[in-house]
Amino acid sequence: MSETRRRPPGSTDVARLAGVSQKTVSRVMNGEPYVSDEIRRRVLAAARELGYRRNTAARALNLGRFHRIGVVSLGSALYGPASQLIELERRARAIGYAFSVVNTLEDDDGGVARAVETLLEQGVDGIVLSEPIDVGELRVEPGVPVLSLGPMPGLTGPDAIINSPSNVDAGREATEHLLALGHPTVRHVAGPWRWWAARERVRGWREALAAAGAPEPPMLAGDWSPASGYAAGRELAADPRVTAVFVANDDMAIGVLRALAEAGRAVPGEVSVIGMDDIPAAAYLSPPLTTIRQDFAASVAQGLALLVERIEGRSGTPVPLLPTTHLVKRQSTRPPEEKT
């Protein structure tokens, strides 16, 4: 005798257990307003007790939406991109959207475009480009908005959205901090040129130097890693004129600090160093690293609010973007030593 297969619980079962109508269950599961907190708790508790899962495929057919946001990521383990990706998932789920990620590679020229196509085939209502790099032109077709969390001049189309935390301001603030301490100029260790964030930090560095009438010294570049920072640091350590360095991220700054220490160049006694990101280790380096902190929660919340407004066809009152970076002063910067 074959065992009868148990029917999975449906919304009518949830409604019966919670003592509400099936329409109320639908409103709660769809995140609609006009449901009291007490009713919402009862429905969700009943759904958990029964093991109810809403039929997302049927819902997508009924509403014409999937309630899912897709993300194109470089799959980087770097602190900034990783923190941003974690915050994207946390925030998307908090506002009731499922979350899909497709990873691509920095040196794959067509990777971003293919990742966008993959997400569209999976079924998403909107797409986030979490680490914008220069991939040439990427045209967004109408219907599925695409949000870039950073500058991306090649992103075009009626549903393209740019929400850019100002890396220009961050680069300017880091450089101005060192100039205000009395350093005659500031060297810069930039990130890889294909990253728009790296280019904007260079622009901020240059603008601050120009505004102060300080000479612009040669720029060095790395790949965001401590090893590349170490290589740049060895070159900087060999130049006795260097008194201040702005490094485009904290990981490279770690390498710069190591190279300066090995060369006997005291930080901050002989050379001041400032990084960017405020990674968890920054406060525990020797010396503790002065840096520019990025508020990933704020920048992601601002960006997703714009994306969801576009997805849901809402046009709220424009809200001014809040600053998402600020200076964290520690012990790796100070005024230059006076020459005797």
Side-chain angles (χ1 to χ4, degrees), residues 79-80 201 248-250 275-279 291-294 296:
Y79 176 76
R201 292 170 201 180
N249 77 335
D250 289 349
M276 181 162 176
D277 279 342
D278 196 22
I279 64 175
T291 187
I292 302 292
R293 177 181 297 161
Q294 297 195 76
F296 296 107

Side-chain angles (χ1 to χ4, degrees), residues 48-241:
R48 284 193 297 271
E49 182 177 336
L50 293 171
Y52 169 75
R53 297 288 183 273
R54 60 183 176 175
N55 188 331
T56 54
R59 183 171 180 270
L61 287 172
N62 290 333
L63 299 181
R65 295 215 315 265
F66 298 92
H67 235 64
R68 181 185 298 114
I69 290 173
V71 176
V72 178
S73 169
L74 292 179
S76 172
L78 293 167
Y79 176 76
S83 297
Q84 190 163 255
L85 189 59
I86 291 169
E87 189 59 37
L88 274 167
E89 181 169 15
R90 188 195 70 79
R91 187 69 186 172
R93 295 193 186 283
I95 59 177
Y97 279 80
F99 189 80
S100 296
V101 180
V102 175
N103 289 315
T104 185
L105 298 174
E106 185 178 346
D107 57 358
D108 182 357
D109 288 339
V112 172
R114 286 195 297 273
V116 168
E117 285 301 317
T118 297
L119 288 167
L120 292 174
E121 289 170 3
Q122 290 177 358
V124 295
D125 301 309
I127 294 173
V128 179
L129 306 177
S130 64
E131 302 112 30
I133 60 173
D134 189 351
V135 295
E137 184 176 359
L138 182 64
R139 178 162 180 80
V140 177
E141 297 303 323
V144 178
V146 176
L147 165 70
S148 175
L149 288 178
M152 196 171 183
L155 183 64
T156 61
D159 282 321
I161 307 168
I162 304 293
N163 183 65
S164 177
S166 186
N167 282 288
V168 176
D169 289 346
R172 187 186 301 115
E173 185 173 16
T175 308
E176 287 174 346
H177 168 67
L178 293 169
L179 293 172
L181 291 172
H183 293 279
T185 191
V186 178
R187 296 296 297 266
H188 182 44
V189 180
W193 197 245
R194 198 174 185 193
W195 290 60
W196 291 108
R199 297 186 193 184
E200 286 208 328
R201 292 170 201 180
V202 169
R203 179 181 152 197
W205 167 69
R206 285 178 168 153
E207 287 182 0
L209 292 176
E216 183 183 314
M219 181 183 72
L220 301 176
D223 61 7
W224 301 126
S225 71
S228 68
Y230 178 76
R234 292 185 65 179
E235 185 172 337
L236 293 167
D239 185 347
R241 297 169 297 176

